[in-house]
Amino acid sequence: MDRREIKSNFLTTTVESAVNWARKNSLWPMPFGTACCGVELMAVLAARSDIARFGAEAIRFSPRQSDLLIVAGRITIKMMPVLQRIYQQMPEPKWVISMGACASSGGVFDTYSVIQGIDQFIPVDIYIPGCPPRPEGILDGLIKLQKLIEKEKFSDYSLPNSS
Amino acid sequence: MTVDTMKQIETEKMVINFGPSHPATHGTLRIILELDGEKVLKATPEIGYLHSGFEKLGEHLDYNQYITITDRMNYLSPLCNNVAYALSAEKLMDIEVPKRAQYIRVLMCELSRIADHLLAVGMQAVDLGAMTVFLYGFRLREDIYDLFEMATGTRLTTSYTRVGGLMRDLPEGFDKAVLQLLPNVVNVVDDIETLLNKNRIWHQRTKGVGVITKEDAISYGISGPQARASGIDWDIREKEPYSRYDDFDFDVIIGLNGDVFDRYLVRMEEIRQSIKICYQTLDKMPEGEVNIDADSGYILPPMDEVYNSIEGLIYHFENIMPNRGMEPPIGEAYVPTESPNGELGFYIVSDGTRTPYRVRTRPPSLINYSIFSKIIEGHMIADVVAILGSLNIIAGELDR
Amino acid sequence: MFLQNLITKVTEQFSDSILDTTEFRGETVLHIKGECVLEVLEVLKSEGFHFLADLTAVDNLEMGGFERYSVVYHLLNHGNGERLVVKAYVPENNPNLPSVESLWKTADWQEREVYDLFGITFDGHPNLIRIMNPDDFKGHPLRKDYPRIGKGERKDFPIVERNIGTKIGRSES
């Protein structure tokens, strides 16, 4: 194999960026749709917005098979333990999108039973504003998350005892 | 395998948990199923996973503010909720909205009904493995969303009505857009019916499944297409017309068997009737104002007046300042309306202040869902999703 | 006319228990004592009001009324399309009245809801447990003396962290 052939057939990169590239383009979302946002999430999956263009169309309703938790809708005091359980069941690496005003801050529901922002109790990576967000907004949130993943380092995932 | 042959196989009783996060529950339902093999012995639905205190919130928001909350109740057809709430509040305050506003409300309700039924059928089909129906239905739903966006500014949470009228008149070219859409609806409905009506799998999964008898339907308070599929001739649009539904000519669709298949048929036929009503509203649409007079103290004056005249500014502030605003009489009102899911009404109790004393929603989803544990008994586990889909339970309205 | 006659008949039959009959915006409301609700509704049901459209409650703490709570029954007659509202009053110290679950199955869940949100108990109900709030919820949120933002229930959860190390450099983006 001569030099020229090597030049046109090989690509040099770091393992890190190759892995991140693969991860960001094949997110498997677990839609935790509880309310109105769930309907807009359906709209993103359907023909017009088509989330498949961003590699995230493989919806998995089992937390053990997915790496992106999309919390779409208000989370109540009865639902919060369920959400935490589902989050804990997801394997690493995992990311969380808090979609819409209700999941992010309680939205208009400042009442006794609505959690005023899920980020008080589980880690959240991306917040999507809107009540509910438009499909374009959801796609924008997804792209933002992809950019986050792009920059991740393996050392971020150090095991608790190693650092 | 039929239930009879299943009887011969002795198995241990098994309890499984279905939901609250499950793809076929479309929200946050949880059912605890007791199974014998694949046969459901007992189903105990557990609800409340989306209980967000709507009714408590209603006691702290004024009459117009609460309209935004009603959007988030049945989020498949928010306009029907807006209209139902506005009607109750208007009855309480003894307001008669202009004819044009009433016709626009009818048009919006019927478009919502089309969108709701399409999604209900689509989701039911997707649960039974027919993904195409969902995609067809949702593509059309997007077009209807475009219309809503044109008129109200948002896709889903419309908040279009106001006590005493509408947020604003229809935009220019709206009627043309509707006329352009309606033939498309017919095409999609035809397509869906071609896919399903003579589909053997669809028949076997839906016929004779989840039968609601007429007596049960009355005892359990079932309403809407679910009740009509069981042969109850009760459509509030026809029997207790609100918002001038009596000006329009349409048929009430009645089923015979009350099974999942009949509920599907009733929904599809109701879409066709809704198309008929939409054409009539556009034909008969009167000219004129969509709001009652601003002097009445119930409605905000037009923005133009607020910025350019002192009276307008005073009216505006009178309406929105704390401790001011509309002063309804002491009393209570309930207006039943025919939402896509059944009888929807708001029971408003007023103590004479600017916020309602109590706002109760008559939630069709909750009441229709209560029959579930009865009709699922003896069915196979795969029928759970078929029946759930046909009842069209919306968690936001179920739990409020 | 049908409604008038029926109300006259019921008022005569239960003269001790009927507190008042009012009408507002064309809606007739029959105010009765809580303990006799089953008998009155049974008569109304046999006279044609065979559909219980809605069952709810109102806390009269601030507005006043015959008693602290009223349980509201919306009845519908499919035959002639008439509607009737029945309000049954129960006192604050003993909010209890008979269940109408034996007349209408739909009362099952709705009475559970009233029990959950108002703390009114129903005699003869087969399964009177909370329906909306979690089982360990304290208090009844739709009572007027319950604060809208609750008593700290919504803050009472453990904080879940990522179960694999900490992530450094996340905030840089």
Side-chain angles (χ1 to χ4, degrees):
Chain A
M1 201 184 282
D2 72 4
R3 229 185 147 81
R4 192 181 291 162
E5 219 172 316
I6 289 173
K7 217 173 175 182
S8 59
N9 281 308
F10 285 85
L11 186 80
T12 53
T13 179
T14 58
V15 181
E16 207 167 59
S17 44
V19 168
N20 282 345
W21 171 81
R23 277 179 180 166
K24 79 164 191 176
N25 287 313
S26 65
L27 287 167
W28 284 22
M30 147 94 206
F32 197 80
T34 58
C36 338
C37 288
V39 180
E40 284 298 69
L41 196 58
M42 269 189 237
V44 184
L45 298 173
R48 190 184 286 185
S49 304
D50 197 7
I51 203 169
R53 292 177 294 161
F54 303 91
E57 84 282 15
I59 293 290
R60 287 293 174 275
F61 285 95
S62 163
R64 297 188 195 281
Q65 297 172 357
S66 49
D67 52 7
L68 169 62
L69 178 66
I70 303 181
V71 183
R74 40 189 192 271
I75 300 297
T76 62
I77 49 175
K78 203 168 177 178
M79 202 61 171
M80 195 66 210
V82 181
L83 176 64
Q84 290 188 330
R85 179 95 177 258
I86 282 179
Y87 179 75
Q88 283 170 331
Q89 283 177 346
M90 286 170 64
E92 287 284 352
K94 57 187 171 187
W95 299 276
V96 179
I97 288 182
S98 164
M99 175 183 163
C102 294
S104 307
S105 71
V108 289
F109 298 101
D110 189 9
T111 59
Y112 55 91
S113 62
V114 179
I115 304 288
Q116 303 293 301
I118 55 163
D119 54 354
Q120 297 172 60
F121 306 112
I122 63 168
V124 174
D125 295 284
I126 295 281
Y127 302 85
I128 304 177
C131 189
R134 297 176 58 86
E136 293 89 328
I138 302 165
L139 293 177
D140 185 46
L142 187 74
I143 294 167
K144 291 231 159 65
L145 180 69
Q146 290 182 337
K147 285 188 178 145
L148 262 185
I149 296 170
E150 214 169 51
K151 288 180 195 155
E152 280 193 346
K153 297 189 172 59
F154 284 168
S155 55
D156 292 351
Y157 289 96
S158 57
L159 287 165
N161 296 332
S162 65
S163 62
Chain B
M1 205 185 294
T2 60
V3 175
D4 289 329
T5 45
M6 287 294 295
K7 270 182 193 152
Q8 293 155 13
I9 308 167
E10 278 191 16
T11 46
E12 231 171 79
K13 201 169 88 174
M14 186 169 62
V15 179
I16 66 161
N17 178 39
F18 181 86
S21 176
H22 184 276
T25 60
H26 312 307
T28 54
L29 316 175
R30 181 180 178 202
I31 307 165
I32 296 151
L33 296 164
E34 276 177 35
L35 304 174
D36 176 14
E38 279 194 73
K39 203 176 101 183
V40 179
L41 296 176
K42 192 176 169 221
T44 320
E46 198 180 325
I47 64 170
Y49 285 95
L50 198 59
H51 176 66
S52 335
F54 279 72
E55 292 177 6
K56 189 79 180 174
L57 204 55
E59 295 167 10
H60 294 83
L61 297 176
D62 75 25
Y63 284 89
N64 273 328
Q65 284 172 335
Y66 193 65
I67 288 174
T68 56
I69 307 295
T70 62
D71 291 335
R72 288 144 181 94
M73 222 167 263
N74 182 345
Y75 33 77
L76 295 189
S77 49
L79 277 156
C80 292
N81 296 35
N82 295 164
V83 170
Y85 176 75
L87 284 170
S88 280
E90 281 155 9
K91 183 173 180 188
L92 180 77
M93 297 166 199
D94 203 14
I95 298 171
E96 164 96 20
V97 291
K99 197 174 167 191
R100 182 175 171 85
Q102 296 191 350
Y103 273 48
I104 293 174
R105 284 179 181 182
V106 170
L107 173 63
M108 288 309 203
C109 276
E110 291 311 314
L111 287 173
S112 306
R113 195 183 312 279
I114 295 172
D116 190 302
H117 282 350
L118 275 176
L119 193 68
V121 171
M123 289 317 292
Q124 187 189 353
V126 100
D127 290 344
L128 298 184
M131 184 82 182
T132 320
V133 175
F134 164 73
L135 291 174
Y136 281 6
F138 222 100
R139 197 183 59 198
L140 185 68
R141 225 183 121 82
E142 286 284 337
D143 294 342
I144 299 175
Y145 273 155
D146 283 351
L147 288 181
F148 290 163
E149 199 175 353
M150 203 171 163
T152 70
T154 52
R155 289 155 54 87
L156 206 81
T157 43
T158 48
S159 303
Y160 189 47
T161 60
R162 292 287 180 274
V163 177
L166 297 171
M167 179 176 76
R168 61 174 182 224
D169 203 344
L170 291 179
E172 200 129 316
F174 187 80
D175 48 346
K176 277 200 191 110
V178 176
L179 285 177
Q180 219 168 30
L181 172 93
L182 291 177
N184 251 340
V185 182
V186 181
N187 288 342
V188 171
V189 171
D190 285 344
D191 281 350
I192 293 177
E193 288 191 333
T194 318
L195 281 173
L196 296 180
N197 273 13
K198 290 181 181 167
N199 185 328
R200 178 174 283 198
I201 303 171
W202 184 253
H203 278 228
Q204 286 184 342
R205 293 296 306 272
T206 58
K207 273 202 168 165
V209 173
V211 177
I212 303 177
T213 62
K214 213 169 166 175
E215 292 73 39
D216 277 348
I218 286 173
S219 175
Y220 278 88
I222 311 292
S223 54
Q226 291 88 335
R228 286 193 288 277
S230 301
I232 296 173
D233 179 13
W234 191 259
D235 188 321
I236 296 167
R237 292 176 293 171
E238 191 206 19
K239 297 286 174 12
E240 302 167 89
Y242 56 94
S243 198
R244 287 187 186 253
Y245 260 108
D246 41 348
D247 289 4
F248 307 108
D249 172 43
F250 61 96
D251 296 328
V252 177
I253 311 300
I254 314 280
L256 292 173
N257 307 318
D259 56 4
V260 175
F261 188 69
D262 273 22
R263 292 198 274 279
Y264 151 76
L265 284 185
V266 167
R267 284 214 173 85
M268 293 313 277
E269 207 50 48
E270 277 191 5
I271 296 178
R272 291 183 193 279
Q273 296 302 322
S274 292
I275 298 170
K276 221 164 110 183
I277 300 176
C278 285
Y279 276 122
Q280 291 175 48
T281 52
L282 289 176
D283 273 352
K284 297 181 180 173
M285 183 71 75
E287 292 297 318
E289 290 292 312
V290 293
N291 283 328
I292 54 167
D293 278 343
D295 306 354
S296 61
Y298 288 121
I299 202 102
L300 287 179
M303 268 308 166
D304 190 36
E305 271 178 42
V306 178
Y307 291 135
N308 295 320
S309 78
I310 185 75
E311 291 84 6
L313 195 67
I314 291 170
Y315 278 137
H316 184 82
F317 275 103
E318 282 283 325
N319 252 304
I320 60 167
M321 294 237 300
N323 305 324
R324 297 287 178 90
M326 54 178 84
E327 284 173 358
I330 296 171
E332 53 187 58
Y334 175 83
V335 181
T337 65
E338 185 70 37
S339 90
N341 255 347
E343 177 178 334
L344 171 78
F346 288 83
Y347 172 63
I348 304 178
V349 182
S350 153
D351 60 348
T353 56
R354 67 197 295 265
T355 55
Y357 185 74
R358 168 106 172 87
V359 193
R360 151 79 177 177
T361 320
R362 193 255 184 218
S365 287
L366 174 82
I367 294 164
N368 291 348
Y369 189 34
S370 62
I371 201 171
F372 176 78
S373 57
K374 184 181 167 71
I375 56 178
I376 189 65
E377 268 173 38
H379 282 299
M380 312 293 266
I381 187 166
D383 297 331
V384 173
V385 290
I387 296 176
L388 263 184
S390 76
L391 290 177
N392 191 20
I393 310 299
I394 313 297
E397 189 181 73
L398 176 77
D399 298 339
R400 286 156 291 121
Chain C
M1 209 58 218
F2 161 79
L3 198 58
Q4 289 300 325
N5 293 341
L6 181 59
I7 286 178
T8 324
K9 188 183 157 194
V10 172
T11 322
E12 276 166 16
Q13 196 177 341
F14 298 97
S15 51
D16 298 343
S17 322
I18 308 283
L19 297 167
D20 197 4
T21 312
T22 55
E23 204 185 310
F24 183 75
R25 304 270 188 256
E27 280 178 32
T28 312
V29 187
L30 197 63
H31 303 263
I32 61 172
K33 284 183 186 164
E35 62 261 32
C36 66
V37 66
L38 190 61
E39 290 90 45
V40 174
L41 288 183
E42 203 162 5
V43 170
L44 290 172
K45 188 186 176 190
S46 64
E47 292 288 339
F49 283 104
H50 67 154
F51 191 82
L52 179 65
D54 191 20
L55 192 164
T56 184
V58 179
D59 181 357
N60 299 316
L61 179 67
E62 286 157 17
M63 202 159 91
F66 294 101
E67 296 282 0
R68 165 85 187 260
Y69 303 106
S70 46
V71 179
V72 187
Y73 303 83
H74 285 261
L75 302 178
L76 166 66
N77 183 341
H78 273 155
N80 56 11
E82 300 248 30
R83 281 178 190 264
L84 175 66
V85 184
V86 177
K87 279 182 125 175
Y89 289 85
V90 285
E92 183 173 4
N93 50 14
N94 179 28
N96 177 290
L97 72 169
S99 165
V100 296
E101 198 264 348
S102 52
L103 298 178
W104 292 285
K105 294 281 180 217
T106 176
D108 180 351
W109 279 24
Q110 299 193 61
E111 282 177 351
R112 275 175 70 190
E113 193 186 349
V114 169
Y115 163 70
D116 186 358
L117 303 177
F118 287 92
I120 298 170
T121 51
F122 293 88
D123 278 344
H125 189 284
N127 183 27
L128 198 65
I129 52 170
R130 283 189 186 273
I131 187 167
M132 291 299 176
N133 289 306
D135 293 337
D136 55 355
F137 194 87
K138 302 234 167 28
H140 301 284
L142 273 189
R143 286 185 174 181
K144 283 282 175 185
D145 48 12
Y146 199 89
R148 171 174 54 92
I149 57 168
K151 295 178 174 168
E153 304 91 345
R154 59 188 196 185
K155 294 217 181 312
D156 189 21
F157 289 98
I159 294 168
V160 172
E161 300 283 348
R162 297 193 55 144
N163 48 14
I164 171 164
T166 48
K167 304 197 81 184
I168 315 146
R170 258 292 164 84
S171 55
E172 280 169 13
S173 62

